[in-house]
Every structure is written in C-alpha cells, then in structure tokens.
C-alpha cells in the first residue's frame, strides 16, 4: 500500500471513528517500547514466515499503523537512543556506545524528549536500559584511580548523577545495561542494594551456567553477589505495569519510555518460554519479549487508558551476528527480507519494526511505506503537544503528524543518512540507497556473511576492489545488484547530498525556512 493512499483513509477515520474526549485533547499519554537487537523479520506482522509467535505485538500492529521503512539512527544501541531522545542524528556528535562507565552523552542543557514533555505537563518515566552515560565521578571515592571499577571504589550511598533523572525523566528504575556493571537495581539515582563484589567475566558462567544461546558477554565490574540476569526482564516489566496502574487516576498525562533489555545478549529466556518458538533460544527470548509487551498493553486496558494513550513499538537496531547460525540451524532469518545485521549500514542493520497505535489518528491494520527515522518522533510529539522546538534542538527531526492525520498527501522525509562508524556512511534518497564505502558490513571483513548464507539468499559477495555500492530498493530490497557503475551521475548526486546534509549541521525542514 503506497503511503500517499493512506491520506483518505486517515481522514475518514478521523471523521467517522468514535474517539473519547480524552483522546481528542492535545496531551495523550505516550508509551514508547524500545526493544534491543530485534530483527525486522522476527515479528509475525513483518514476516509471514517467521518461526517466532508474537501474538501481542502482532495484535498491536493490527490495531495501529505498521511502518515498513522505519529506521534507527545507528546500527548500535547508544547512538540510536541518543538520536531517538534528542531528534538529532548521532553521527553529528559521536559514533560509539557507552562502555559502562562513560560520562553522559548529552550536552549540558540539551533538550530531550522527556524534558520537552515535562515542559508540557507530562509525568515522565524511564524504566529499563539507559546506556547513555552517568556521572560516575559523583559517587567515586576520592583517591581511587579513574580507570578502576572495583566495587570498593564507589560510595554507593550517594546519588548517582547524570542519568535519566537529569535528562528529562521524573522517575527511573533499571540496571543501566543488562550485560554491563553495576549489576544492581538503580532507582532515581540510588542503588537499592549496595554492590558487594566485583564480577569477572567468568563469574556469570560459574554462577548461572552457560546461557541457552551465545555467551554471557557480561563485562567485569561491581555488582551484588545474588544478581540474577534471568530476573531482569520480568522485574522491569513488573515495574512498567506498576507505573501504568499508578497513573490511572492522575490528572496529568504521562510518558513512559520502556527500554527493554531483550532480545539482546545474553540470550536468556526464562524456563516457561523455552521451546515456545521454532527459532531456538533466541526465538524463545523474543516470545518472552512479546509477552512482556503484552503485559504492558493489558495494563493500559485494565487501567482504562488504552483509548487515550499513544503506543509505539520499535527496536534500537537490527539483530546480532548469531542470526547467521540461527538461519542455518532453524531456517529463520531475523532480518528477513533484508541484507545485513546489527552494526551494518546495509538495511538489516537499521531498518526495524516500527508500530504506532495513535487513538484518533492511525487506522487499525494500516501499513505505510513512508521513509521514517526514529529521530522524527521528537518533532512529531512536539507537534502533538504544541511544543515550539528551539532552533538548537531536534535538528534532524521531521514532523510526521500532518501526514499521519491525512492533512498532507505525502510524507515529509525523502532522504536519510545511515551510519554506525566514522567515515562509514550510507544515504537514502527516495528509492535509491548509496553505500558510500566498499562494503555495508561494519566491523571488519570477519563479519562478512558466511558463503552458505550468501548462496541460500542469492546474494553475491562484495567485490574487494569496489569503492561503493548503489541499490534501487524498489526493485532490490535484498541489495543484491550494485548499480554504481551503471549510474555514475546518481552516485555523484547522492554523494553531494550526503556531504551537504553533514556539513549543514541540520536537516529538519523547520530549520530550512
């Protein structure tokens, strides 16, 4: 279904659908569910051949709008989260992830989505993965080496500064990152249980055995000795459900940013979910992820908040490299029908499931192929709440609300830059995608697809002497045929556009006026 055909549909719905008085206000609640390393082809609503049952997210898609061309800013987590919460492309500022004890990635005073909604009277909460830095010096004991992360190096009785509470969120609960220290719960900057040991890389295997798939990938550092990674997702889901129930009778709207730890490694589905998919332990972990989302959606229904709450579900990037072995063993390709995985600037690294259920705006079961980036949520929510974005904020965010409402026939975005590492860029312009590098695989030639995968999916290996690649995504979504040699003028035009957007310092239409 072509995007422009949605206009009449949305207009009709807006006129005909019964919408509650609360939903007609400009301050709907917002629940934003952010999965971690979920592939484009993992959900049944995006892949008819998926080996993973995802009934709750499939129902959400049936009740809302499914975007088929939605993208994270990066192929890795911290940059995507930064771009989502600021409306600014990460590559203007950095490319790397929070390594666990990095300082905050936000600039002093930088407007975030949470801060914007606070200014419009929202109660704001972040529950789950933060991974955007903290001011660890605020709790470091005097005289300890800066690079030391022993549990005795920190005064855990002090509030940890620089996290979610200092960047637009009234409430925070989480463990920062499931496979990074400190391994303890943090609530509003305070640890609930003081770390009493310093974990080594082998401790998790000795304490919990090997995970069902892959490795623990848990970095060394402070934690509580009874920490159980298997309880992370259920505990975070409990907290999110508790938060929603507590908002039932509150007069002000709320924004819940539920940042999930799954299905990121470690791949640790709990016992009740094992064997529930046909895609191995990862598939089972996706089932558990779907179940957690279902609990949140049910909490909204039970609290009577479903009709006046916007729900968004998406992922921070594509699936991890284990997807190759999964495809071989279980015949489930997590990025179906795309090429590329997490980190890559091929489509599979950043094109992700994107579902929006917006009362009074999105039609149940609608599908759009509009080019959309997660940076666009900032301007879209600003438009919804009547927030006047300053010129030094949301520099790359496009307002999609007029298009979603059917007030504009065409979506506002035609181009988008994809990036994970410095000097490793791709750019989209309409149907064209230019990989401005010799390969779209990021992380070295050792991450190239195995020959068996290339043969199975009829994808030619990249030519080692090629300098870049051009694809027509309308005809070649799997990115099999490099057209760069045939269309040098198109390549030159897209390289010029890439340089222009990078050098200009912004791309948001409101800043071009």
């Amino acid at each position: 279904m072509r995007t422009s055909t949605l206009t009449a549909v949305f207009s009709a719905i807006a006129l005909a659908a019964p919408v509650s008085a609360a939903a007609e206000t400009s301050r709907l609640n917002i629940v934003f569910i952010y999965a971690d390393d979920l592939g484009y082809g993992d959900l049944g609503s995006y892949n008819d051949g998926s080996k993973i049952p995802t009934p709750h997210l499939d129902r959400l898609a049936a009740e809302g709008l499914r975007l088929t061309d939605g993208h994270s800013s990066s192929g890795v987590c911290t940059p995507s989260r930064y771009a989502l919460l600021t409306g600014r492309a990460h590559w203007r500022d950095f490319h790397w992830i929070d390594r666990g004890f990095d300082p905050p990635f936000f600039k002093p005073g930088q407007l975030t989505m949470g801060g914007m909604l606070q200014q419009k009277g929202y109660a704001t909460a972040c529950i789950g993965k933060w991974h955007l830095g903290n001011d660890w010096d605020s709790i470091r004991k005097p005289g300890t080496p800066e690079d030391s992360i022993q549990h005795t190096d920190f005064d855990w009785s002090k509030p940890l500064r620089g996290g979610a509470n200092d960047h637009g969120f009234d409430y925070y609960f989480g463990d920062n990152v499931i496979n990074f220290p400190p391994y303890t719960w943090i609530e509003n900057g305070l640890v609930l249980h003081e770390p009493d040991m310093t974990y080594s890389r082998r401790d998790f295997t000795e304490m919990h055995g090997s995970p069902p798939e892959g490795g623990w990938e848990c970095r060394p550092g402070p934690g509580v000795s009874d920490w159980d990674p298997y309880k992370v997702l259920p505990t975070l889901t409990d907290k999110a459900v508790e938060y929603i129930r507590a908002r039932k009778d509150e007069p002000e709207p709320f924004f819940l940013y539920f940042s999930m730890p799954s299905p990121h490694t470690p791949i640790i589905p709990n016992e009740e979910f094992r064997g529930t998919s046909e895609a191995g332990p990862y598939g089972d972990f996706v089932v558990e992820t779907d179940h957690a989302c279902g609990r949140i959606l049910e909490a909204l229904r039970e609290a009577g908040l479903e009709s006046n709450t916007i729900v968004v579900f998406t992922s921070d990037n594509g699936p991890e490299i284990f997807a190759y072995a999964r495809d071989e063993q279980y015949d489930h390709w997590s990025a179906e029908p795309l090429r590329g995985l997490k980190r890559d600037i091929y489509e599979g690294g950043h094109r992700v499931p994107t579902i929006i259920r917006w009362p009074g705006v999105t039609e149940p079961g609608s599908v759009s192929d509009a080019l959309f980036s997660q940076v666009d949520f900032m301007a879209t929510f600003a438009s919804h709440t009547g927030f006047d974005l300053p010129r030094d904020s949301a520099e790359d965010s496009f307002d999609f609300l007029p298009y979603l409402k059917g007030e504009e026939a065409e979506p506002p975005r035609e181009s988008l830059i994809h990036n994970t590492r410095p000097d490793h860029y791709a750019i989209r312009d309409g149907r064209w995608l230019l990989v401005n590098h010799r390969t779209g695989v990021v992380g070295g030639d050792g991450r190239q697809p195995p020959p068996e995968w290339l043969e199975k999916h009829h994808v030619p290996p990249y030519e080692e002497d090629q300098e870049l690649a051009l694809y027509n995504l309308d005809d070649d979504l799997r990115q099999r045929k490099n057209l760069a040699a045939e269309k040098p003028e198109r390549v030159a035009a897209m390289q010029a556009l890439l340089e222009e957007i990078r050098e200009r310092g912004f791309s948001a239409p409101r800043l071009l006026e």
Side-chain angles (χ1 to χ4, degrees), residues 40-57:
Y40 188 89
D42 284 330
L43 303 187
S45 53
Y46 277 80
N47 176 13
D48 289 341
S50 174
K51 299 290 185 70
I52 306 171
T54 52
H56 302 290
L57 290 170

Side-chain angles (χ1 to χ4, degrees), residues 223-453:
V224 293
S225 54
D226 61 349
W227 185 250
D228 185 355
Y230 284 92
K231 294 181 179 178
V232 171
L233 178 57
T235 301
L236 293 174
T237 307
D238 287 345
K239 277 290 181 180
V241 168
E242 179 184 311
Y243 182 84
I244 290 170
R245 289 172 176 168
R247 299 303 310 173
K248 177 179 180 180
D249 297 317
E250 296 296 328
E252 69 269 50
F254 69 89
F255 168 46
L256 171 59
Y257 170 50
F258 182 55
S259 183
M260 306 186 78
S262 59
H264 186 285
T265 53
I267 297 170
I268 46 173
N270 279 286
E271 192 65 37
E272 64 184 287
F273 296 97
R274 296 189 185 184
T276 55
S277 79
E278 297 178 23
Y282 171 86
D284 300 343
F285 205 22
V286 173
V287 172
E288 185 170 1
T289 300
D290 176 76
H291 174 78
C293 294
R295 290 189 59 203
I296 290 171
L297 297 172
E298 182 60 27
L300 288 171
R301 282 190 285 271
E302 290 178 349
L305 297 171
E306 187 177 47
S307 66
N308 66 329
T309 300
I310 301 165
V311 177
V312 175
F313 175 85
T314 187
S315 179
D316 63 347
N317 47 247
E320 190 45 284
I321 196 168
F322 308 117
Y324 289 126
R326 187 180 315 122
D327 184 45
E328 181 179 6
Q329 184 173 358
Y330 299 103
D331 195 26
H332 173 84
W333 177 236
S334 284
E336 182 66 28
L338 311 173
R339 177 183 187 178
L341 296 174
K342 177 178 179 177
R343 301 175 187 82
D344 296 345
I345 53 175
Y346 287 130
E347 289 292 285
H350 48 80
R351 188 186 287 225
V352 290
T354 307
I355 301 170
I356 305 173
R357 188 180 73 189
W358 194 317
V361 173
T362 56
E363 179 199 10
S366 55
V367 179
S368 170
D369 61 359
L371 178 61
F372 182 87
S373 171
Q374 291 172 7
V375 297
D376 299 328
F377 282 112
M378 185 80 165
T380 302
F381 290 155
S383 179
H384 168 64
T385 59
F387 185 87
D388 187 13
L389 287 166
R391 290 192 63 83
D392 64 350
S393 300
E395 294 92 337
D396 297 294
S397 191
F398 285 55
D399 177 11
F400 267 74
L401 189 56
Y403 167 70
L404 293 177
K405 285 183 171 181
E407 297 169 358
E408 293 182 359
E410 296 295 330
R413 181 179 284 283
E414 296 181 355
S415 62
L416 179 62
I417 291 176
H418 307 302
N419 164 270
T420 298
R421 295 216 175 149
D423 300 319
H424 204 142
Y425 285 83
I427 183 168
R428 178 76 174 276
D429 185 27
R431 61 183 171 148
W432 297 101
L433 187 285
L434 176 70
V435 175
N436 200 39
H437 195 273
R438 66 185 182 90
T439 174
V441 171
V442 175
D445 289 346
R447 288 182 54 84
Q448 290 291 340
E452 298 80 9
W453 185 91

